């Protein structure tokens, strides 16, 4: 086997080894930690891009750790969707990591170890083709996220973490119930195999298998932060350190990814008794989520909490598009997913730049000290705000336009229209209020000893550049997401290449 | 390509002024001015083509999937609008150079101005409706920044926010309308869209489309009731007002009406909505204008009313009316821009804009006075000025309203009334500023403005006169071309004459002039009656109240949902699970299979009883911590027995050992948790939770039962068949763990490792209140009995672990179980001898060991990669150990070694960190500060 | 036996969830442990309860029970242990830094 043939497992192995090296490196924080972390993240980005290129060319990479055939061993599968998620993750991770190296990673031990292991969990979740292995990677990314969330200490973080951890432990238990039931009914764990077996089940198993699917929806919904399972998010993200919050922008997308994967592959239209299990559920859930989230963004008294709610709203937006379960809907949703991840990361980092210069590390939406670099931070914020509201000319607008265009001329379609458009108006007013207060309605003098942004701005600018690229290259990117959607809606190819010999 | 450049130039140019501002304000201004000049230089040569009906175009696909193209298209209408935007833009740049004070950041000003200019030009030249929507919103965004330019002023901030909220809302409505049009027509290409008017009007969605599009147009063009943002926007620097409210921003709305004229106009609904809004705005604007004391306020309301006029004309839906509308659009742009600049000059030179303070400036500023009089006359529609001509046409059109419209007579009447009002406020503008009073008592000593500040006004004033006298010469070709583009080909021959002979329109003009004069004479009476009361305030007030109401609602909604109570969130989670799991049962029923399980027997039932008792006991005694701990471990033991009973020895062993370690951990932690029972929940709460918990439990039982009654064919047969031959082990479970699904195990030890690291991180810098000795950790250095047992016990325990470890692949055992054994043995030493003694003798820091353990496991996997297979493809051979017997020596063993090391280290690290937390057995800060006793 | 197992799982889960809904960290920890007992039993039960010997290959014995769920449960137990330990220490940290053991980090009336 050539080195290239191992491509699909590298996004897991590289950060794993890097993380372990970071643990071995003695001392709290040394240049070595940063170097290893940086190299690893860059390498993962490179691999991810390579995977995107190959899957983009129509290839579907199947990797079998242990070289066990068919459904018996664990299998990693890189299709377009997985590659897409990997690339987005790597991009956000790189920015967050660079931002952290300007000081955020010195507040305690093991930052880079946790960071890399977080990547292991994320990438593994995107790549694995095995339900129980998915559970394992969920646990990795969760335990790592617990540590990252608590990173830096402090009362607010402890409080937020307590909620986050307990809820997710309950979620993990439910995950096992769902997977267990599916195994009990189908006798397999390999997603492709389970898909085949579910389709062959007798109609008398409908309730059981659908129930199992919907339990998994609850688990994934908890990660994706949809109504009524999102309550852990605003405080958690608002209290996490900036680079962690930025990295967490991808965390909710893991839930979204799993929903797309499981409910197109296992519970798709061809799934016999399990067919279209969440078709009636997802769109309403997504719309309600948007509604309450925009409300929360409007009500927010702090910038970070507002961003958190806008993040939830964006999850609702993309899930609404995906909830259509049409090619265009899924494609639009995936495009919006890229946009929203980058945007939210930008905003969380900008919020930190801003809070630092306002002194007392505050992002409260009240008149405060004047920024010493209003132009620089203001521009970044303005771009991020336009993007997150979905105003022209940025990707957010193109994404929403795609979603609206994909909505069918049915009652649900019009609901999607109404919620998306009115939501945008609310978001516009809300973020305008925040921006005006933070940047214009300031005291005449800056805070004492306010730090300049210096190198911190670079990763943010990098993300903004990526956002602009996503805007300009909307055409090509959308054809990729569309191809990904096709791949998801015709799982036959996926199944055959997974179950076909080693 | 030139077309593209015309649009891009302002955007690119926007980058220059901020860079050049260091070189001085004039340089920056020159650079900024050069941009529109260059753009015009590119635009004007295209005039002949456009005049002869050609439509130059430049396009490139952007998001073809939904039909979005970057498509620049230049027809007559586009040319007219672009020329206005760029032309007046030049004048504004010049004017602003002298208007802005030294304190104002001029670089930023020009940058924003050029951004806005680019957005407007793009809107004018866009050949793709979706692209138009994009530029449309860009104008809202850039104007927001321009209006809020003086960020330190509260009214500027408020004005900017309101403007963005209103126009942004309109923009999103427009987006909706545009997307619907695309849906009906099947394309956003302007040619296609313009050609499918019939199709759109016939579509059942037409009313929706029209409403959404008009919502966009009316918010932008400040039509009643959306007009209130415009006066608020007057907080902007005067150059901005002059630009936004004469030629550009507000004209975008009417431009949209013109652009989509062939697609949407001509229906009854269109007539009702557009004429209605126009008429209302015409009157309300003109009426309110009369009562403004602020010069810019007066101009603002007059702008609103003139926009109403133009809208009204488009509302008629006839070609003739459209021509008149375009003509007035041009004229209004010229005279209104000059008036704003004049007002700016006055403000600049006298320090006030309040007409109650201003007076007699004719003496000190005759030159400005002349310019103002010219522009005001045009605004009032006095003959020989351009405003007169288009107003005449307007009057004529109001008379030409087709019969059948019930209230047709209202329109000319209202038009005349408007005429009266406009004359009145025009006179007031001129009289109160220049002729009333001695010309004293103003904040500054007035004098003429600098030369270059007046030039832009002169240019426009001259234009107003020239157009007014030689209309055919100057505007007819432009008007013809743009009108043709607007109406889609069919336009009547345009006749522009200063003198039409005696006719009704002329009569209306006379009435307006005379009536206006007399009304002005009586205005003071009116003013005193009406006071400073301004109509639109209420609209703005309503808007603000509305926003506030929404905010209150949002706050209430968020408070009710995000209560901050974990119990509530868990409740939601459980309920969600229950609902979603039950839903399919409701729909598909709950049929059970016929499969049976082994029958129960005495011991089983007894064990069941104990288990249930323990579970309930844990609930009952949850407040007596130690009791609860003992009872729950009882449950753990029963689970262990259950595992053993159903043929899972490995599970039984693991469960038992984990039970022990977990209990140790809890005991250590318990010491720091409050011993006193905390106040419990209310009775109702307990009942509710109990009911929900029972439902969930019943659900789980039901699922289990349902599954157990179903036939089963699993992939496991494969493992049973191949464990020995392929995996080289007889303990299938262990073979699965280290080989078939070794990848899971790798992840599992990663989790354990991270958890341990996380634990130490959490304990970093954590100081426990030293409330005596922690459980288990011996205070006294060597408690004789424990020590004398523990120390000799260690070797045996270790040997035992080795044995368990080695046989694991064939018999129950393996790395994990061995690891827990070892760690228990080592923990025993800590308990007996205290941390320092043991740590000193262990001489290994557990943290690196964790990493090494995982690394060994990974290395095993990578090795197989080097041998040309995939990750973690294990190989094996057999070796005969003395005493232990034949042992299959597989690379699996190395893998298992990794597991062993990681788990031992992790468990030790966690437990000792916890113990060290409050161990007073040795220098507390030594451990308590770092939860890791090996750190030195 | 199916009934015994099903009901036992049900009771464990019910007790676990009830404790999970309590306001103090200690009961919540107990609840999660009971919950994981229940879930682990459930998982292993998914391989059915048809009797049979432990999945250890001995010549002539062919009635082994399904080994796969056992492997899964082993992994689940180990992971569960790590998570429990983490949660315990987190609760401890909350108690020591926030001065109370309420799951919301503050006394409701406070």
């Amino acid at each position: 086997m050539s080195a290239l043939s191992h491509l699909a497992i590298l996004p897991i192995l590289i950060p794993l080894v890097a993380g372990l090296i970071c643990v071995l490196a003695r001392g709290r924080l040394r240049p070595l930690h940063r170097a290893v972390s940086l190299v690893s993240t860059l390498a993962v980005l490179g691999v991810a891009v390579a995977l995107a290129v190959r899957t983009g060319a129509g290839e579907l990479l199947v990797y079998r750790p242990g070289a066990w055939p068919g459904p018996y061993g664990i299998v990693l599968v890189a299709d377009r969707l997985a590659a897409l998620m990997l690339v987005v993750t790597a991009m956000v991770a790189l920015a967050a990591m660079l931002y952290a190296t300007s000081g955020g990673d010195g507040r305690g031990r093991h930052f880079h170890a946790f960071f890399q292991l977080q990547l292991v969990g994320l990438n593994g979740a995107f790549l694995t083709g095995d339900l129980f292995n998915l559970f394992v990677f969920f646990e990795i990314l969760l335990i790592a996220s617990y540590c990252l969330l608590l990173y830096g200490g402090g009362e607010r973080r402890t409080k937020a973490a307590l909620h986050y951890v307990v809820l997710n432990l309950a979620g993990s238990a439910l995950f096992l119930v769902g997977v267990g039931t599916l195994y009990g009914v189908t006798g397999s764990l390999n997603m492709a195999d389970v898909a085949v077996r579910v389709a062959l089940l007798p109609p008398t198993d409908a309730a059981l298998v659908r129930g199992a699917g919907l339990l998994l929806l609850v688990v994934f919904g908890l990660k994706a932060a949809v109504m009524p399972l999102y309550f852990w998010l605003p405080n958690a993200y608002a209290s996490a350190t900036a680079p962690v919050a930025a990295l967490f922008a991808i965390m909710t997308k893991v839930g979204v990814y799993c929903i797309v994967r499981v409910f197109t592959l296992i519970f798709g239209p061809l799934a016999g008794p399990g067919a279209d299990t969440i078709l009636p559920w997802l769109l309403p859930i997504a719309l309600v989520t948007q509604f309450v989230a925009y409300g929360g963004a409007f009500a927010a008294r702090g910038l970070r909490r507002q961003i958190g709610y806008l993040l939830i709203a964006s999850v609702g937006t993309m899930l609404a598009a995906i909830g259509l379960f049409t090619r265009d809907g899924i494609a639009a949703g995936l495009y919006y997913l890229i946009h929203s991840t980058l945007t939210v990361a930008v905003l969380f980092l900008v919020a930190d730049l801003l809070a630092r210069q306002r002194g007392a590390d505050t992002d409260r939406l009240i008149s405060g000290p004047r920024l010493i670099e209003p132009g620089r931070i203001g521009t970044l914020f303005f771009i991020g705000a336009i993007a997150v509201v979905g105003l022209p000319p940025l990707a957010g607008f193109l994404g929403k336009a795609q979603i609206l265009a994909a909505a069918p001329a049915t009652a649900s379609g019009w609901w999607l229209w109404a919620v998306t458009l009115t939501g945008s108006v609310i978001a516009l007013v809300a973020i305008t209020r925040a921006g005006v207060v933070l940047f214009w309605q300031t005291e005449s003098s800056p805070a004492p000893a306010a730090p300049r942004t210096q190198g911190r701005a670079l990763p943010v600018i990098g993300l903004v550049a990526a956002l602009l690229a996503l805007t300009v290259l909307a055409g090509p990117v959308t054809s990729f997401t569309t191809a990904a959607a096709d791949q998801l809606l015709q799982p036959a190819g996926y199944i055959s290449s997974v179950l076909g010999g080693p | 390509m030139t077309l593209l450049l015309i649009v891009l130039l302002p955007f690119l140019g926007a980058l220059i002024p901020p860079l050049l501002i260091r070189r001085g304000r004039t340089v920056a201004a020159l650079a900024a001015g050069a941009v529109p000049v260059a753009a015009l230089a590119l635009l004007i040569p295209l005039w002949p083509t456009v005049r002869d009906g050609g439509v130059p175009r430049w396009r490139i696909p952007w998001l073809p999937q939904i039909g979005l193209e970057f498509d620049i298209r230049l027809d007559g209408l586009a040319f007219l609008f672009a020329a206005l935007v760029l032309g007046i833009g030049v004048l504004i740049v010049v004017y602003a150079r002298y208007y802005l004070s030294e304190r104002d950041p001029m670089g930023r000003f020009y940058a924003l101005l050029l951004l806005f200019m680019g957005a407007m030009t793009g809107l004018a030249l866009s050949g793709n409706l979706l692209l138009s929507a994009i530029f449309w919103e860009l104008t809202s965004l850039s104007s927001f920044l321009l209006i809020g330019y003086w960020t330190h002023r509260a009214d500027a901030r408020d004005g900017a926010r309101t403007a963005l909220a209103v126009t942004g809302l309109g923009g999103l409505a427009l987006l909706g309308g545009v997307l619907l049009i695309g849906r009906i027509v099947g394309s956003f290409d302007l040619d296609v869209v313009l050609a499918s008017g019939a199709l759109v009007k016939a579509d059942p969605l037409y009313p929706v489309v029209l409403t959404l599009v008009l919502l966009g147009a009316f918010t932008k063009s400040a039509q009643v009731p959306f007009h209130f943002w415009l006066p608020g926007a007057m907080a902007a620097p005067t150059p901005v007002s002059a630009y936004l409210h004469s030629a550009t921003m507000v004209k975008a709305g009417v431009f949209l009406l013109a652009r989509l004229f062939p697609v949407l106009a001509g229906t009854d609904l269109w007539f009702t909505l557009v004429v209605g809004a126009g008429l209302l705005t015409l009157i309300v604007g003109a009426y309110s204008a009369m009562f403004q004391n602020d010069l810019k306020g007066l101009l603002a309301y007059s702008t609103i009313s003139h926009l109403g006029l133009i809208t009204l004309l488009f509302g008629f839906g006839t070609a003739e009316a459209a021509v008149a509308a375009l003509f007035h659009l041009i004229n209004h742009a010229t005279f209104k821009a000059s008036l704003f600049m004049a007002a700016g000059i006055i403000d600049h030179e006298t320090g006030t804009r309040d007409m109650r303070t201003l007076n007699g400036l004719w003496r000190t500023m005759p030159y400005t006075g002349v310019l103002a009089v010219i522009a005001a006359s045009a605004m009032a529609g006095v003959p020989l000025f351009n405003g007169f001509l288009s107003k005449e046409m307007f009057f004529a059109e109001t008379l030409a309203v087709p019969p059948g419209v019930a209230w047709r007579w209202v329109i000319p009447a209202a038009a005349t009334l408007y005429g009266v009002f406009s004359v009145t406020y025009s006179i007031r503008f001129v009289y109160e500023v220049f002729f009333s009073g001695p010309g004293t008592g103003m904040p500054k000593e007035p004098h003429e403005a600098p030369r270059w500040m007046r030039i832009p006004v002169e240019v426009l004033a001259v234009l107003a006169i020239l157009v007014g006298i030689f209309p055919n010469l100057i505007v007819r070709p432009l008007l013809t071309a743009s009108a043709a583009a607007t109406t889609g080909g069919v336009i009547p021959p345009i006749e522009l004459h200063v003198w039409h002979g005696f006719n009704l329109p002329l009569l209306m003009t006379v009435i307006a002039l005379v009536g206006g004069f007399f009304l002005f004479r009586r205005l003071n009476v009116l003013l005193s009656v009406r006071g400073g009361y301004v109509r639109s305030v209420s609209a703005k007030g309503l808007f603000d109240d509305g926003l506030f109401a929404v905010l209150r609602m949002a706050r209430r909604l968020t408070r009710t949902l995000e209560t901050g109570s974990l119990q509530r969130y868990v409740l939601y989670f459980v309920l969600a699970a229950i609902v979603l799991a039950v839903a399919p049962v409701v729909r598909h029923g709950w049929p059970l299979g016929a499969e049976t399980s082994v029958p129960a027997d005495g011991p089983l039932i007894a064990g069941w009883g104990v288990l249930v008792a323990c579970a309930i006991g844990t609930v009952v005694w949850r407040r007596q911590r130690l009791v609860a701990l003992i009872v729950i471990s009882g449950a753990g033991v029963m689970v262990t027995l259950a595992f053993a009973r159903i043929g899972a020895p490995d599970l039984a062993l693991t469960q038992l050992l984990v039970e022990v370690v977990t209990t140790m951990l809890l005991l250590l932690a318990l010491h720091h948790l409050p011993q006193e029972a905390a106040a419990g929940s209310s009775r109702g709460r307990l009942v509710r939770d109990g009911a929900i918990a029972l439902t969930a439990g019943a659900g789980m039982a039901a699922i289990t039962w349902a599954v157990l009654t179903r036939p089963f064919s699993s992939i496991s047969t494969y493992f049973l068949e191949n464990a020995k031959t392929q995996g080289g082990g007889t303990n299938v479970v262990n073979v699965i763990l280290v080989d078939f699904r070794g990848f899971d195990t790798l992840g599992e030890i990663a989790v354990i490792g991270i958890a341990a690291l996380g634990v130490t991180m959490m304990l970093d810098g954590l100081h426990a209140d030293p409330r005596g000795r922690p459980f288990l950790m011996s205070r006294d250095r060597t408690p004789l009995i424990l020590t004398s047992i523990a120390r000799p016990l260690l070797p045996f325990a270790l040997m035992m672990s080795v044995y368990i470890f080695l046989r694991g692949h064939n018999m129950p055992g393996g790395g994990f179980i061995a690891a827990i054994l070892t760690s228990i043995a080592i923990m025993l030493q800590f308990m007996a001898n205290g941390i320092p003694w043991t740590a000193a003798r262990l001489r290994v820091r557990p943290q690196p060991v964790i990493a090494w353990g995982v690394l060994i496991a990974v290395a095993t996997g990578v090795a197989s990669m080097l041998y040309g297979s995939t990750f973690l493809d294990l190989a094996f051979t057999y070796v005969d150990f003395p005493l232990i017997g034949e042992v299959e020596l597989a690379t699996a063993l190395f893998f298992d070694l990794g597991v062993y090391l990681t788990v031992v280290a992790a468990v030790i690290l966690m437990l000792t960190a916890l113990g060290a937390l409050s161990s007073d057995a040795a220098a507390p800060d030594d451990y308590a500060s770092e939860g890791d006793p090996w750190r030195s | 036996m199916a009934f015994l197992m099903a009901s036992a799982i049900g009771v464990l889960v019910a007790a676990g969830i009830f404790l999970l809904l309590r306001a103090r960290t200690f009961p919540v920890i107990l609840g999660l442990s009971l919950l994981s007992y229940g879930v682990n039993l459930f998982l292993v039960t998914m391989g059915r309860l048809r009797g049979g010997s432990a999945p250890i290959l001995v010549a002539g014995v062919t009635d082994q029970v399904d080994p796969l769920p056992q492997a899964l449960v082993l992994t689940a137990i180990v992971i569960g242990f790590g998570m429990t330990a983490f949660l315990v220490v987190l609760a401890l940290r909350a108690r020591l830094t926030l001065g109370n053991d309420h799951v919301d980090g503050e006394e409701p009336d406070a």
Side-chain angles (χ1 to χ4, degrees), chain B residues 566-567 598 608 625 646-647 654 659 669-670 672 674 678 681 689 707 710-711 716 730 732-733 737 762 812 914, chain C residues 1-2 4 7 14 21-22 24 26 37 48-51 55-57 66 68 70 74-75 88 92-93 95 104:
Chain B
L566 178 62
Q567 293 167 278
V598 288
W608 179 87
R625 300 173 183 282
I646 60 177
T654 315
E659 203 56 45
L670 218 54
H672 301 290
S681 324
D689 293 352
V707 170
R710 276 169 166 69
S716 296
T730 52
V732 184
V733 174
L737 279 175
M762 276 191 284
L914 254 182
Chain C
M1 178 165 182
L4 290 183
S7 53
L21 287 165
R22 305 274 56 82
R24 305 285 152 181
F26 183 68
Y37 289 154
R48 301 302 190 268
L49 304 169
R50 304 238 185 81
I56 293 166
L57 301 174
D66 186 344
L68 185 52
Q70 298 190 16
L74 263 171
T75 310
V88 168
L92 190 58
R93 183 190 172 81
R95 160 70 177 154
D104 298 333

Side-chain angles (χ1 to χ4, degrees), chain A residues 1 6 9 13 16 20 23-24 26 28 63-69 71-74 76 109-110 114 117 130 132-133 136-137 140 143 147 150-151 163 166-167 170-171 174 177 181 183-184 186-189 193 197 204-208 210-211 214-215 218 222 227-231 234-235 281 292 295-296 298-299 301 305 309 382 386 391-393 397-398 401-402 404-405 407-409 414 417 421 424-425 428-429 432-433 436 440-441 471-472 474-475 478-479, chain B residues 62-66 68 130 133-134 137-138 141 144-145 148 151 157 160-161 164-165 168-169 172 175-176 179-180 183 205 547 550-551 554-555 557-558 561-562 564-566 569-570 572-573 576-577 579-581 583-585 587-591 700 703 706-707 710 712-716 718-719 726-727 739-741 743-744 746-748 750-751 754-755 757-758 760-762 764 845 847-848 851-852 854-855 858 862 865 868-873 930-932 935:
Chain A
M1 282 184 138
H6 296 294
I9 198 173
L13 285 188
L16 177 55
L20 295 169
V23 178
L24 285 176
R26 285 175 161 279
R28 237 184 157 78
Y63 191 87
R64 307 177 189 280
W68 296 102
Y72 307 113
I74 289 169
L76 304 178
R109 285 186 291 170
H110 302 313
F114 293 143
L117 291 162
D130 182 287
F132 191 80
N133 193 238
V136 172
F137 277 113
I140 296 181
I143 188 78
C147 300
L150 278 158
Y151 186 80
H163 286 191
V166 171
L167 273 171
L174 193 59
V177 175
T181 313
Y183 178 78
T186 64
S188 186
L189 292 168
D193 194 31
R197 289 162 178 256
T204 51
D205 287 353
L208 199 50
R210 285 171 170 268
L214 289 170
L215 288 183
V218 176
L222 181 66
M227 179 75 180
L229 307 169
Y230 65 83
F231 301 102
N235 283 336
W281 295 95
V292 293
F298 201 90
R301 287 193 164 88
R305 281 180 57 82
Y309 269 110
F382 192 68
I386 293 176
L391 289 184
F397 172 82
L398 300 178
Q402 287 189 52
L404 295 182
W414 298 129
W417 272 57
L421 287 174
S424 307
V425 178
L428 173 64
V429 176
T432 312
R433 195 177 96 248
V436 167
W440 288 359
Q441 193 177 338
T471 309
V472 176
T478 304
S479 34
Chain B
W62 182 358
L63 185 48
Q65 288 86 349
I66 60 170
L68 172 59
L130 208 44
I134 291 181
E137 283 290 39
L138 278 182
L141 288 168
F144 163 76
L145 295 173
T151 58
R157 295 194 297 260
R161 272 172 61 179
L164 182 57
L169 173 125
L172 285 158
L175 171 64
L179 284 167
L180 283 181
R183 213 172 252 206
L205 283 176
L547 270 190
V550 176
L551 180 62
R555 289 238 158 100
L557 176 72
T558 312
L561 288 175
E562 197 199 348
S565 154
L566 178 62
Y569 303 162
V570 176
Y572 289 149
F573 173 80
V579 169
L580 284 178
V585 180
R587 204 164 128 236
H588 303 273
W590 194 246
M700 280 300 295
I703 295 176
V707 170
R710 276 169 166 69
F712 188 51
S713 75
S714 145
I715 54 174
S716 296
Y718 177 90
F719 302 124
Q726 311 266 332
D739 202 339
F740 289 108
R741 298 185 68 89
F743 203 54
D744 278 344
L746 183 61
E748 152 198 326
V751 171
I754 304 169
L757 296 178
T760 57
M761 179 192 73
M762 276 191 284
D764 265 1
R845 299 175 67 250
Q847 292 201 16
W852 280 120
V854 184
L855 270 177
V858 172
V862 174
M865 286 161 90
S869 179
T870 60
F871 181 76
L872 217 53
D873 179 6
E930 283 292 351
D932 164 6
R935 195 163 170 290

Side-chain angles (χ1 to χ4, degrees), chain A residues 202-400:
Chain A
T204 51
D205 287 353
L208 199 50
V209 74
R210 285 171 170 268
L214 289 170
L215 288 183
L216 288 178
L217 177 62
V218 176
V219 178
F220 301 149
L222 181 66
K223 302 278 173 300
V226 302
M227 179 75 180
L229 307 169
Y230 65 83
F231 301 102
W232 55 270
L233 190 142
N235 283 336
Y237 283 33
S239 52
T241 57
V244 173
L247 179 67
F248 280 13
I250 196 71
M251 291 282 278
T252 50
K253 311 305 185 294
V254 181
V256 176
Y257 163 84
C258 292
I259 289 174
V260 177
R261 173 69 72 204
V262 168
F263 293 101
T264 53
L265 178 57
I266 301 181
F267 298 96
L270 311 170
D276 298 327
T277 296
I278 60 166
L279 202 50
W281 295 95
L282 193 53
L283 187 59
I285 291 175
L287 293 180
V288 176
T289 306
Q290 276 193 69
F291 179 79
V292 293
Y294 282 122
F298 201 90
R301 287 193 164 88
L303 181 57
R304 291 196 186 95
R305 281 180 57 82
Q306 184 171 68
I307 301 168
Y309 269 110
L310 288 171
L311 167 61
I312 299 171
S314 73
V315 169
T317 312
M318 71 188 71
L319 280 181
I322 291 164
L324 302 169
F325 281 105
T326 63
R327 175 185 130 153
D328 293 353
I330 293 177
L334 292 179
Y335 181 87
Y336 197 81
L337 182 150
I338 309 172
H339 141 79
S340 121
T341 311
L342 297 174
T343 305
V344 170
V346 168
L347 283 173
F348 272 121
L349 294 181
V350 171
D352 187 59
L353 292 175
L354 180 119
R356 293 167 164 282
Q357 290 200 357
R358 291 188 98 205
D361 218 48
T362 170
D363 66 333
R364 305 241 322 283
L365 297 182
I366 48 169
S367 177
R370 189 168 56 77
L371 304 179
I372 52 179
E373 291 162 300
R376 186 180 244 200
I377 301 178
T379 312
L380 291 172
F381 176 84
F382 192 68
I383 296 175
I386 293 176
V388 78
V389 176
L391 289 184
L394 293 180
F397 172 82
L398 300 178
K400 281 192 174 170

Side-chain angles (χ1 to χ4, degrees), chain B residues 232-247:
Chain B
M234 288 302 144
T238 300
V240 174
S241 315
Y243 199 37
L244 263 59
H245 306 138
S246 64

Side-chain angles (χ1 to χ4, degrees), chain B residues 449-472:
Chain B
R451 181 98 197 78
W452 280 96
M453 198 168 176
R454 293 195 309 255
I455 284 184
V457 194
E458 291 163 3
V459 173
L460 291 169
V462 171
L463 262 178
I465 298 174
L466 287 180
V467 173
I469 301 174
F470 315 105
N472 296 323

Side-chain angles (χ1 to χ4, degrees), chain A residues 298 425 428-429, chain B residues 157-170 219 225-229 536-551:
Chain A
F298 201 90
V425 178
L428 173 64
V429 176
Chain B
R157 295 194 297 260
D158 184 46
R161 272 172 61 179
T162 315
L164 182 57
V166 176
T167 56
L169 173 125
T219 47
F226 306 111
H227 59 296
F228 54 87
W229 67 265
S536 78
V537 167
S538 65
K540 174 75 164 76
L542 281 175
F543 174 76
D544 290 340
D545 296 350
L547 270 190
F548 190 63
V550 176
L551 180 62

